[in-house]
Amino acid sequence: MAAIVRHKLQTAIPIRTQVLGLPSSETDSFRLINGEGDGLSGLAVDILGGRVAVVMSSAAWCEIHKDTIHRELQHALDTYISPNMDIIWRTTPSRLDQDGYPKQAQTPTDITDTDTTTDAKKEEVVIVTESGVKYKTFPYSNSQKTGFYCDQRVNRQTVAKLCEGRRVLDLCCYNGGFALNAMVHGGAVSCVGVDSSQDAIDAAQDNAALNNVDSSQIEFVKADIQRYMEKALDEGKEFDVIVLDPPKLAPTAAEEPFVKVAVVIMAASILIEIPYDCVDVQQHLSCVLLKKVKRVTILPQQSRAWVY
């Protein structure tokens, strides 16, 4: 197993370092290992701030061979990225349950570093930089403000290109990634970020200040997104660009037969039900929208990348 893991790491990491040129002066946080894309299903590794490696384990084989993976990853980090990086091991209990991995053996968070993980350590801030935008993260903590979605880098860049001179609404904004890119790189005239988590809103506000974004142009609101949109409609608010990046709505077909997607286009509020097994979601969505509004522009569809 050690030889297999070593070979996969030695194949995957140079793609980031040599082909993508990561880390760089503009980006020190990125997806180093991307599960199936790198032939390591159930294993993902994110680099945060060039100093912390966050392992996300969601398969039984990762837990069974945890010590081997940890040892090979540490050696690969020392060789390709930076020596003596902290490694934080996180698990996805629901996925491990599906794999039949015993609950009593599961450890949601395991931190391996040079210091004792005290309460002060758990609140330690790690500043990460992506495309020149800075974010506060707390990788040693267990709250929602823990980490950073490195696999959304390309999407954040793409959205920013659509925002010049426009009013942006970022729903389920988490720590403000889309909103901040819209302001910093996209030239948006204003942006509102909405999330139901106070931790997320606090983080987004801190990140806006960290990037010196004018507080008169950006606002973060703690609210249920459906209620916020209903209120916005009643108040006659309009937005030119809407980003909706919600948490996973239906982990399995058995749990939720329909995925409800809330869409706001200018001053129209539309609730659409898309069958979970719908083959062409884009076609289904566009057909419904065409019945509701005068004009719909379908942007190029971008599938999930295998490397970030």
Side-chain angles (χ1 to χ4, degrees):
M1 180 55 68
I4 294 174
V5 173
R6 186 181 310 124
H7 172 72
K8 296 294 186 182
L9 294 177
Q10 290 174 346
T11 301
I13 295 177
I15 295 175
R16 280 71 175 181
T17 58
Q18 298 175 21
V19 178
L20 298 181
L22 299 172
S24 67
S25 59
E26 293 291 304
T27 299
D28 62 13
S29 303
F30 54 96
R31 177 64 53 87
L32 185 70
I33 302 298
N34 189 42
E36 292 87 346
D38 293 309
L40 291 168
S41 179
L43 181 69
V45 181
D46 283 349
I47 301 298
L48 298 181
R51 52 180 284 206
V52 180
V54 179
V55 178
M56 289 153 283
S57 164
S58 59
W61 80 268
C62 297
E63 296 302 300
I64 294 170
H65 299 285
K66 178 177 178 179
D67 290 343
T68 297
I69 294 171
H70 189 285
R71 183 173 59 254
E72 294 299 330
L73 176 61
Q74 186 71 71
H75 182 264
L77 292 171
D78 291 345
T79 302
Y80 294 102
I81 307 299
S82 179
N84 302 317
M85 292 185 69
D86 289 351
I87 295 178
I88 300 175
W89 187 284
R90 299 190 182 281
T91 62
T92 307
S94 60
R95 295 288 183 85
L96 294 177
D97 289 345
Q98 291 176 353
D99 267 11
Y101 193 70
K103 289 183 180 295
Q104 60 269 25
Q106 297 180 24
T107 53
T109 304
D110 182 15
I111 301 173
T112 304
D113 56 28
T114 54
D115 300 319
T116 301
T117 309
T118 61
D119 289 339
K121 185 72 171 178
K122 291 177 181 178
E123 291 302 311
E124 182 177 329
V125 178
V126 173
I127 303 296
V128 307
T129 305
E130 180 195 81
S131 304
V133 180
K134 297 184 182 298
Y135 305 84
K136 287 184 178 181
T137 66
F138 298 77
Y140 303 99
S141 169
N142 288 322
S143 71
Q144 191 185 7
K145 63 185 179 181
T146 295
F148 181 72
Y149 291 112
C150 293
D151 57 350
Q152 290 280 22
R153 184 177 71 250
V154 174
N155 290 333
R156 284 187 277 263
Q157 294 170 343
T158 299
V159 168
K161 295 175 183 177
L162 306 173
C163 295
E164 185 174 2
R166 293 179 173 174
R167 299 160 297 181
V168 178
L169 175 63
D170 183 7
L171 299 172
C172 303
C173 66
Y174 188 47
N175 63 1
F178 284 103
L180 291 173
N181 275 270
M183 298 300 300
V184 175
H185 295 306
V189 296
S190 64
C191 188
V192 177
V194 183
D195 202 286
S196 60
S197 165
Q198 188 61 55
D199 272 354
I201 293 300
D202 291 343
Q205 291 172 336
D206 286 347
N207 291 335
L210 186 63
N211 289 278
N212 299 313
V213 178
D214 190 338
S215 60
S216 67
Q217 293 180 292
I218 194 166
E219 177 187 10
F220 292 101
V221 179
K222 180 183 181 298
D224 173 83
I225 63 169
Q226 182 173 339
R227 291 192 179 92
Y228 177 86
M229 290 188 290
E230 291 170 350
K231 183 179 179 182
L233 182 62
D234 291 340
E235 294 176 352
K237 292 183 179 179
E238 294 186 351
F239 301 94
D240 306 304
V241 177
I242 300 96
V243 180
L244 175 59
D245 180 27
K248 186 175 293 185
L249 299 178
T252 67
E255 292 178 32
E256 180 61 68
F258 288 92
V259 176
K260 294 183 178 180
V261 180
V263 179
V264 177
I265 297 183
M266 298 299 286
S269 182
I270 307 166
L271 182 63
I272 302 169
E273 286 191 350
I274 300 178
Y276 183 87
D277 58 353
C278 180
V279 175
D280 194 339
V281 173
Q282 185 184 56
Q283 182 180 1
H284 182 99
L285 181 60
S286 60
C287 287
V288 176
L289 293 179
L290 285 170
K291 297 176 183 177
K292 300 282 187 177
V293 296
K294 294 180 179 179
R295 179 175 175 230
V296 174
T297 300
I298 301 296
L299 299 174
Q301 186 173 3
Q302 179 175 306
S303 59
R304 181 175 291 275
W306 68 272
V307 62
Y308 301 93

